[in-house]
Amino acid sequence: MKEEQTPAALSIPEETLLKWEARGIKRRDFIKFCTATTAALALPITLVPRVAQAIEDNRVPVIWVELQSCTGDTEAFLRANQPTAAEIILDTLSIEYAETIMAAAGHQAEKSKDDAIKKYQGKYIAIVEGSIPRDGAYCCVGGKSALAIVKEVCGNAAATIAVGNCAAFGGLPAAAPNPTGAMSVQEAVPGATVINLPGCPVNATNLTATVVHFLTFGKLPATDKLGRPLFAHGKRIHDNCERRSHFDAGQHAEAFGDPGHRQGWCLYKLGCKGPETFHNCPTCRYNEGVSWPVMAGHGCIGCSEPGFWDTMSPFYRRLPQVPGFGIETTADQIGLGLAAATAVAFGAHGVASALRKNEHDSKEG
Amino acid sequence: MAKRIAVDPITRIEGHLRIEAQIDGGKIVDAWSSSTAFRGVETILKGRDPRDAHHFTQRFCGVCTTVHSMASIRAVEDALKIQVPDNARLIRNLIMGIQNVQDHVIHFYHLHALDWVDIVSALSADPVATSKLAQSISDWPKSSADYFKGIQERVKAFAGTGRLGPFQNAYWGHSAYKLPPEANLMAVAHYLEALEWQKDVIKIHAILGSKNPHPQTFLVGGMSIPVDPNSQNAINADKIAWMMKLFKKARSFVEQVYIPDLLAVAPFYLDWAAIGGGVGNYLSYGDFPDASGQNFFPRGVITDKDLANVYPMDEKKITESVTNSWYSYQGGDDKALHPYDGETNANYTGPKPPYTWLDTDQKYSWVKSPRYDGRPMEVGPLARVLVAYAHGVPEVQGAVNFVLKTLGAPASALFSTLGRTAARGVDALVLAQKNEEWLLQLADNMGRGILDMHNGEMWDPASWPKEAQGFGWHEAPRGALGHWIRIKNQKIENFQAVVPSTWNAGPRDEKGQRGPYEQALIGTPIADPENPLEILRTIHSFDPCLACAVH
Amino acid sequence: MLELRYVWEWPVRITHWVNVVAIVVLSVTGLYIGNPFISVSSTTPYVMGWMRFIHYVFAYLFLMSFMARMVWMFCGNRYASWREYFPWVTAKGRERIVGTFAWYTFLRKTPPYEVGHNALAVMAYAGVFTLFLVQCITGFAIYGQFEPGSFWFNLTQPLLAVGNQQLRLTHHIIMWLLIGFGIHHVYSAALMDVKEKNGCLSSIFGGYKFVDPEEEVE
Ligand code: HEM
Ligand code: HEM
Ligand code: NFV
Ligand code: SF4
Ligand code: SF4
Ligand code: F3S
Ligand SMILES: [Mg+2]
């Protein structure tokens, strides 16, 4: 009951609370959700009523399309964070189309989408999951190519949220050699207003927070150069990591299961990509804050970064492969080889030079 | 009068599935199953570090997340002859076990239920009668008349807005819906409860695997989640207790809600025990090994619905054909290849989008056609349960006999759309009970000071042979999953996955034999070709996953 | 007659030695950062913390020294001038390159006469200065990431397009290239000293070299 006593929460109008109660949402859960969302957005707590109102006023239509995806982001959404978030989102938004959960199928399903695009033109939120192949052959739904679908759906939306690394940056399908010419939403529909929520999958909390930000302020949150919201991608994992003190101390797990690993030492030497990954995993965590990769003893693989399948692998190494060498060879081995070769070469040169008769020597006599 | 229809997209599944069917005399006379999306992950895997493979393959699918990590890792461990520590075996069983239970419940309530449950009819139910019905089938506490009244009002308020969101344009009012309004209302309430429940119980994945979907603690040689009763950063007594609570929550929902609902709904649809049988051949790789390597669900092959003979499974008899799939084989498209020699060369010959029909006389799907000894096989909970039943696994026999007895149905009723759906319930029930045993074994190991969970002997690729190959198997929620890897010079030389939904959703092979979906649709009645609800029933009974199937 | 000439002015010598010290310290600390080989059992030693701190202090020192040398290219004497670093643009310079190369590879008995850098060495230095530059850029680009929005972050952010890991790998590999250069360079300096008897080795300490005005060509 603590939340209800905060002044900000108290100022949520009684009628709003009553309306939610009528829909079967406990007022306590509603206030908790609004407060948590406000916090997730790094907004001052005084804005809680405004967030509450935003949720109240607009049941914003959403069209969720899946293209070259694994449905992991839809599943992440189903695990949404706050106790009643899944229900609130179902009541807050109006999900006009989402293949994984919708009741209609076939042409009836396609009709739902077409109707929503027409009826809510320029007003709905498009959510895209999965990458888009350049060639229609590699992904069609209802006989239409993925590219045609995103052009239509994103082109007519108020804003598009690209969920997961595939939609945001091409993700897995775009990993080398990118057999299908997979693209991100931004590449596929260059003109659209897109916000990127990478991660593999997206963290459901970041998705709800982005939606609520949009509902509250009528615009998308501020982003970095890669189009990711700063509230979720403004800092490196490494700079918020609970194992950071072990990193600074020089306490590194040397092998999985060694005593250091069991005691929660830093995973840097086991390939952790926290130092090069901008994501709020350490603070936000997953599944209602239960855990996140480093907490469970496995390094970060950089799943919120563009091209991470290629640039962050091999995942159990700190650095990527040196181009042109086998996966066995590390940069240090190559460097050491180079230094040794130089030393040997010049050593030999030195011996040869010492042996040869120098012109200056003979001249001097 | 014959009529051709296409259902695209098939919704409430994972991925992009299209069904085309020929209807004559109110029944399906022929059918074609096609997936219309391809990513090429097998190609992407070539040349990479085999220890990384599981991160890639896990992203075949975010619904049956974890299962491809399991199979890939077992493939590498098989190739390199790595034994995993007992704790890793148990943690893997627990991750697989809860995945299975949670996935089946989601399937039943959120993907399959609306084929049988008419939400609109729930609005006219009597909450008092609903409460009586609920209390007559289970002692689940949430079954008061007030509770159901609340749910009904909530649905009414929602429907009252006139904006049905994900529930619009569906088949409400279709003549094939048979449940009384009270049963519908009960199902709607449980639809919402299951939505809450699934995100709670899957926290076990977060505890053992860091997150869900896409847990991240698998390793070649074991697991990366430490176990240590004296560490704050490992699985300790506190986390064991937490997981026990979640496992109990998982089990009580299955025992008190899922199974009773299944048994309450099934009697209204007993005609579906004679529809949707399919190919009649069943394959299970077996899984959930004990300390001696013996699988709880046994391995085996059943042909022609003959439960009297269960044949041993021989991985060498597995092939994949691409005669009707959008790929080409170097040695000719009419040759079936064993996965070690498998090829994934995309070769799209279908219509240019936008299109209305596929040309099903030619290649028509991105799914390959796996065959066992030349036969199409059905895989999944039904196959798993049948093999275990025929093998006499007591837990499975008990559960199956209970279900059959309650429904008053013979064992042959299992070879059907309804049987598939019932077997999924049996599978979930048996595993929901088994999970707690494995957790106790893990706790017991920890108590005895056994803390190993990763075998790092072969971690360094320098210790590997120049060439190696391995087969990784797993009984995923949707059935028999196999990954085949060839390793050369420490890199992946070839990687091939033959996935449960590849078996079930595959198109015809070089001999013209239909795949299991296609075969199961034959004879399915269609009351109204414009609203082919019945197609969804049979197809959903397989729990399709097309991202898995094609990858 | 040999005469003693002031070849290396003090800024050249000071920056040379500051660079040498900085590179040694940066390589040792960098090696540790890349692969923390010291294992400690408590959180108090702060080994990685110190290594990184020292790395950054010397990184600034190195940057300053490197920039000073770059400035001196435009104000120092002819031996320090930027013109020295492009011998291949003049016919005379190309001749010197061929000559030195022939001498190093035993094709010629005497080295061409040089007062400042020899022609091949100077090209190596041009290369090394480029490596210095890339090392500073990649270093500060990684450095800036701990605080997005900071000066270094804003300055180097466009580079993130290359990829974070690529920056690290480049930074890491350049260390090895510099170590390779160091071995070669110290050897060559010693060789010149011995073979040319021109005080090459000591010149970088005191600045003076022995010059034979008869052989010197303008
Ligand atoms: C000759 C000069 C230098 C050498 C030999 C050197 C060497 C190294 C090496 C080997 C690493 C480890 C890289 C890895 O494996 O990821 C490193 C890291 C680093 N260096 Fe340098 N470095 C030099 C100059 C600089 C400069 C000028 C800066 C500018 C600030 C700098 C900043 C860094 C940073 C920020 C890191 C990463 C530290 C971390 O991630 O904690 N370095 N250096
Ligand atoms: C005992 C150690 C060293 C000695 C005796 C030494 C000596 C010298 C000498 C004699 C020159 C002028 C040579 C010529 O023009 O042919 C020179 C230039 C240079 N040295 Fe070294 N060196 C040493 C170490 C290093 C190291 C470790 C580095 C860096 C990796 C380095 C980098 C340079 C550079 C960049 C120049 C060009 C200087 C300029 O034009 O400003 N030196 N060194
Ligand atoms: N088919 C399939 Fe999976 C499962 N269960 C994979 O192995 O769903 Ni995505
Ligand atoms: S980003 Fe990851 S979780 Fe999302 S669709 Fe792509 S592979 Fe799946
Ligand atoms: S575990 Fe990873 S993110 Fe955490 S401190 Fe170590 S390197 Fe950084
Ligand atoms: S792998 Fe992804 S989930 Fe977070 S810890 Fe790394 S960004
Ligand atoms: Mg395959």
Side-chain angles (χ1 to χ4, degrees):
Chain A
M1 286 285 147
K2 213 163 103 224
E3 311 83 74
E4 276 168 291
Q5 279 144 21
T6 64
L10 272 180
S11 59
I12 295 177
E14 182 62 18
E15 56 197 293
T16 306
L17 295 172
L18 283 175
K19 255 186 234 165
W20 283 97
E21 270 178 341
R23 284 198 211 162
I25 312 278
K26 288 198 208 88
R27 59 170 60 203
R28 193 165 163 263
D29 287 343
F30 181 71
I31 294 168
K32 209 162 152 191
F33 174 75
C34 295
T35 316
T37 309
T38 311
L41 286 165
L43 296 174
I45 200 78
T46 46
L47 283 181
V48 167
R50 188 144 166 208
V51 170
Q53 216 174 353
I55 296 171
E56 167 63 15
D57 292 342
N58 321 287
R59 215 172 121 211
V60 168
V62 169
I63 297 179
W64 183 309
V65 290
E66 283 191 59
L67 302 157
Q68 282 178 307
S69 85
C70 79
T71 312
D73 304 288
T74 295
E75 288 287 329
F77 166 72
L78 294 179
R79 317 278 188 274
N81 238 0
Q82 305 306 323
T84 55
E87 282 169 276
I88 289 183
I89 290 303
L90 282 171
D91 288 334
T92 306
L93 304 172
S94 180
I95 300 189
E96 305 291 323
Y97 184 90
E99 281 183 65
T100 311
I101 56 168
M102 67 195 299
H107 61 87
Q108 281 96 344
E110 293 306 277
K111 182 173 182 306
S112 294
K113 189 174 73 196
D114 297 343
D115 288 352
I117 293 174
K118 270 196 222 94
K119 195 163 154 205
Y120 304 113
Q121 186 161 21
K123 298 201 182 78
Y124 64 89
I125 298 181
I127 298 184
V128 181
E129 173 177 3
S131 56
I132 299 104
R134 220 166 285 275
D135 183 341
Y138 295 119
C139 184
C140 282
V141 180
K144 286 191 203 163
S145 73
L147 194 56
I149 294 170
V150 282
K151 280 193 176 146
E152 191 186 11
V153 171
C154 305
N156 288 300
T160 297
I161 305 177
V163 290
N165 200 298
C166 295
F169 303 129
L172 180 63
N178 192 349
T180 60
M183 302 179 283
S184 68
V185 178
Q186 261 167 344
E187 289 171 286
V189 205
T193 313
V194 181
I195 190 159
N196 286 328
L197 292 181
C200 190
V202 62
N203 190 327
T205 305
N206 294 338
L207 175 56
T208 28
T210 303
V211 170
V212 175
H213 189 288
F214 181 78
L215 298 182
T216 311
F217 303 115
K219 61 176 186 201
L220 293 168
T223 64
D224 66 5
K225 284 254 155 59
L226 295 167
R228 305 177 292 192
L230 291 171
F231 76 79
H233 300 274
K235 255 186 152 183
R236 290 186 310 172
I237 296 224
H238 190 54
D239 295 321
N240 272 333
C241 178
E242 64 235 24
R243 301 193 180 205
R244 183 54 186 265
S245 61
H246 296 293
F247 172 83
D248 288 333
Q251 292 177 308
H252 300 283
E254 302 284 334
F256 289 104
D258 73 7
H261 181 251
R262 290 211 299 274
Q263 288 305 321
W265 286 9
C266 172
L267 302 170
Y268 189 70
K269 290 181 90 167
L270 300 176
C272 180
K273 302 301 185 303
E276 35 271 335
T277 305
F278 291 81
H279 208 176
N280 57 352
C281 309
T283 44
C284 193
R285 299 185 185 168
Y286 291 82
N287 304 87
E288 299 180 41
V290 173
S291 190
W292 66 289
V294 167
M295 188 171 172
H298 192 291
C300 167
I301 60 169
C303 76
S304 61
E305 297 300 316
F308 80 101
W309 291 108
D310 297 323
T311 58
M312 301 289 182
S313 58
F315 293 125
Y316 299 98
R317 285 262 181 78
R318 273 210 53 251
L319 292 176
Q321 271 170 253
V322 184
F325 289 84
I327 54 169
E328 252 313 79
T329 341
T330 63
D332 280 339
Q333 285 166 333
I334 295 165
L336 207 58
L338 178 116
T342 323
V344 168
F346 286 101
H349 192 274
V351 172
S353 300
L355 290 180
R356 88 166 154 191
K357 233 173 117 47
N358 191 302
E359 274 299 298
H360 282 272
D361 294 348
S362 51
K363 201 162 100 188
E364 300 282 293
Chain B
M1 195 197 68
K3 186 174 162 62
R4 175 109 171 192
I5 60 166
V7 188
D8 181 4
I10 296 274
T11 52
R12 279 180 285 126
I13 61 162
E14 193 296 326
H16 305 297
L17 175 64
R18 172 188 179 97
I19 296 289
E20 290 193 15
Q22 188 74 20
I23 298 166
D24 204 353
K27 276 187 160 55
I28 294 180
V29 292
D30 208 350
W32 295 266
S33 155
S34 166
S35 179
T36 52
F38 170 72
R39 288 172 294 165
V41 187
E42 288 165 336
T43 307
I44 290 170
L45 280 164
K46 284 194 181 180
R48 298 191 187 254
D49 187 331
R51 295 171 303 172
D52 285 356
H54 71 100
H55 291 289
F56 290 79
T57 61
Q58 177 155 267
R59 272 74 180 186
F60 283 175
C61 183
V63 174
C64 66
T65 184
T66 84
V67 309
H68 297 285
S69 275
M70 257 334 298
S72 295
I73 277 181
R74 281 177 172 165
V76 179
E77 288 169 352
D78 182 46
L80 302 173
K81 315 265 173 296
I82 298 173
Q83 289 289 323
V84 306
D86 201 49
N87 288 337
R89 169 187 71 85
L90 288 165
I91 291 175
R92 288 175 181 185
N93 280 2
L94 291 170
I95 291 180
M96 300 184 301
I98 193 64
Q99 169 63 26
N100 191 304
V101 173
Q102 186 244 18
D103 202 345
H104 285 356
V105 171
I106 292 186
H107 176 263
F108 184 74
Y109 287 102
H110 307 123
L111 307 183
H112 203 15
L114 301 183
D115 301 340
W116 314 98
V117 172
D118 185 338
I119 297 189
V120 174
S121 138
L123 297 177
S124 58
D126 170 11
V128 178
T130 309
S131 163
K132 270 203 197 107
L133 168 69
Q135 288 173 11
S136 73
I137 60 168
S138 161
D139 45 12
W140 185 242
K142 287 185 169 178
S143 57
S144 69
D146 277 353
Y147 174 71
F148 288 114
K149 192 156 176 282
I151 297 284
Q152 195 180 36
E153 272 167 10
R154 187 164 177 207
V155 177
K156 267 190 189 142
F158 178 78
T161 63
R163 294 172 63 190
L164 291 181
F167 306 109
Q168 69 200 331
N169 282 343
Y171 304 118
W172 316 131
H174 194 287
S175 64
Y177 283 121
K178 301 279 197 258
L179 294 183
E182 286 69 31
N184 283 320
L185 177 57
M186 184 177 74
V188 170
H190 293 162
Y191 177 104
L192 294 173
E193 276 181 54
L195 206 52
E196 284 285 313
W197 170 92
Q198 54 88 23
K199 76 176 176 51
D200 284 340
V201 299
I202 208 61
K203 285 178 191 161
I204 289 166
H205 272 195
I207 297 170
L208 295 172
S210 85
K211 61 186 171 113
N212 169 282
H214 298 326
Q216 195 159 310
T217 56
F218 291 96
L219 290 177
V220 166
M223 299 296 295
S224 77
I225 177 81
V227 288
D228 188 339
N230 301 314
S231 169
Q232 194 178 326
N233 300 83
I235 297 302
N236 50 26
D238 175 44
K239 294 197 178 106
I240 296 274
W242 186 6
M243 284 191 282
M244 190 49 95
K245 200 172 141 190
L246 293 170
F247 276 125
K248 286 205 191 306
K249 177 170 185 159
R251 177 156 66 93
S252 57
F253 193 84
V254 172
E255 287 176 346
Q256 296 177 47
V257 183
Y258 177 15
I259 298 297
D261 280 357
L262 181 70
L263 295 175
V265 169
F268 293 93
Y269 292 108
L270 279 181
D271 47 336
W272 286 85
I275 300 170
V279 295
N281 306 318
Y282 302 90
L283 164 71
S284 168
Y285 290 151
D287 211 326
F288 301 99
D290 66 14
S292 67
Q294 189 80 27
N295 289 321
F296 171 67
F297 274 110
R299 256 181 203 197
V301 172
I302 291 169
T303 54
D304 300 323
K305 304 182 184 173
D306 175 13
L307 294 183
N309 293 301
V310 184
Y311 301 98
M313 196 285 298
D314 179 3
E315 161 279 307
K316 290 189 199 67
K317 293 186 176 166
I318 294 167
T319 57
E320 277 190 315
S321 306
V322 295
T323 320
N324 285 297
S325 317
W326 289 312
Y327 305 93
S328 53
Y329 280 168
Q330 277 167 5
D333 293 359
D334 51 347
K335 302 273 181 310
L337 296 180
H338 184 273
Y340 277 134
D341 306 314
E343 297 172 19
T344 304
N345 316 310
N347 172 28
Y348 184 76
T349 56
K352 208 174 138 46
Y355 55 78
T356 318
W357 302 105
L358 291 173
D359 181 358
T360 48
D361 293 335
Q362 304 191 7
K363 294 173 183 288
Y364 61 91
S365 178
W366 281 112
V367 186
K368 294 179 186 171
S369 311
R371 295 293 180 261
Y372 181 86
D373 211 5
R375 293 167 197 258
M377 309 296 289
E378 173 173 344
V379 301
L382 176 57
R384 183 152 65 228
V385 163
L386 287 175
V387 170
Y389 186 75
H391 260 286
V393 176
E395 292 91 333
V396 175
Q397 278 200 327
V400 170
N401 290 338
F402 165 71
V403 168
L404 291 177
K405 196 170 143 239
T406 315
L407 297 179
S412 63
L414 288 168
F415 308 115
S416 67
T417 295
L418 191 65
R420 220 168 267 127
T421 298
R424 188 168 292 107
V426 168
D427 195 42
L429 177 66
V430 170
L431 281 172
Q433 293 165 344
K434 218 49 201 167
N435 282 330
E436 291 169 30
E437 264 178 52
W438 292 317
L439 183 63
L440 291 176
Q441 286 175 31
L442 178 66
D444 183 55
N445 278 356
M446 287 165 64
R448 289 186 290 135
I450 300 170
L451 305 180
D452 291 350
M453 51 81 210
H454 183 238
N455 173 353
E457 277 165 39
M458 300 287 276
W459 183 248
D460 183 358
S463 63
W464 300 352
K466 207 170 145 44
E467 284 186 49
Q469 63 176 37
F471 163 51
W473 44 272
H474 175 37
E475 274 298 312
R478 287 157 195 74
L481 165 63
H483 286 191
W484 282 260
I485 192 172
R486 273 186 194 238
I487 302 172
K488 193 172 173 186
N489 297 329
Q490 284 105 16
K491 288 189 194 179
I492 297 174
E493 200 200 13
N494 197 14
F495 197 105
Q496 289 287 321
V498 183
V499 180
S501 296
T502 322
W503 285 101
N504 290 341
R508 288 152 170 75
D509 60 19
E510 67 279 11
K511 287 183 252 163
Q513 299 181 92
R514 292 188 190 94
Y517 288 1
E518 297 176 335
Q519 190 61 39
L521 283 173
I522 307 292
T524 298
I526 300 289
D528 171 9
E530 274 306 296
N531 294 288
L533 173 60
E534 300 89 340
I535 288 185
L536 293 187
R537 287 185 176 169
T538 291
I539 292 298
H540 281 160
S541 75
F542 285 93
D543 191 3
C545 176
L546 277 295
C548 268
V550 180
H551 40 268
Chain C
M1 262 313 283
L2 292 182
E3 65 176 60
L4 209 53
R5 185 178 302 167
Y6 189 51
V7 179
W8 309 120
E9 297 151 289
W10 65 267
V12 175
R13 284 174 287 140
I14 295 203
T15 56
H16 179 270
W17 290 112
V18 170
N19 288 349
V20 170
V21 172
I23 288 171
V24 170
V25 173
L26 285 164
S27 298
V28 171
T29 51
L31 262 173
Y32 179 83
I33 296 170
N35 177 24
F37 44 81
I38 303 170
S39 217
V40 298
S41 56
S42 85
T43 42
T44 31
Y46 209 63
V47 183
M48 181 61 99
W50 278 111
M51 291 286 184
R52 292 175 64 246
F53 178 72
I54 296 167
H55 198 81
Y56 303 149
V57 169
F58 280 83
Y60 273 104
L61 189 68
F62 179 64
L63 178 73
M64 247 92 88
S65 155
F66 172 51
M67 288 199 322
R69 180 65 184 85
M70 290 299 109
V71 171
W72 199 252
M73 285 212 165
F74 299 93
C75 5
N77 66 17
R78 49 178 279 230
Y79 309 112
S81 165
W82 59 273
R83 289 186 190 84
E84 278 279 291
Y85 293 87
F86 304 96
W88 63 88
V89 289
T90 62
K92 180 86 215 128
R94 281 192 290 273
E95 204 176 292
R96 284 166 60 209
I97 297 175
V98 174
T100 316
F101 184 77
W103 185 71
Y104 272 128
T105 50
F106 306 107
L107 296 174
R108 175 178 160 159
K109 294 226 171 84
T110 52
Y113 194 75
E114 305 276 4
V115 176
H117 309 295
N118 81 43
L120 272 190
V122 99
M123 283 160 65
Y125 298 148
V128 169
F129 283 137
T130 314
L131 292 183
F132 285 1
L133 180 71
V134 178
Q135 193 72 338
C136 286
I137 294 173
T138 52
F140 279 102
I142 306 168
Y143 179 68
Q145 291 179 6
F146 86 92
E147 202 191 341
S150 63
F151 171 75
W152 288 115
F153 182 81
N154 291 339
L155 198 69
T156 55
Q157 204 195 14
L159 272 175
L160 289 181
V162 180
N164 217 314
Q165 287 288 83
Q166 268 57 39
L167 294 180
R168 277 170 199 274
L169 189 61
T170 309
H171 195 74
H172 201 108
I173 288 174
I174 289 181
M175 172 187 70
W176 286 108
L177 294 178
L178 289 175
I179 291 175
F181 165 80
I183 294 171
H184 148 260
H185 167 75
V186 174
Y187 165 78
S188 303
L191 185 69
M192 280 301 190
D193 196 272
V194 173
K195 295 290 167 175
E196 293 196 13
K197 295 239 169 71
N198 61 0
C200 178
L201 208 63
S202 51
S203 71
I204 198 70
F205 294 94
Y208 288 90
K209 260 190 172 182
F210 289 106
V211 176
D212 186 343
E214 286 164 39
E215 286 205 54
E216 190 178 0
V217 272
E218 280 309 307

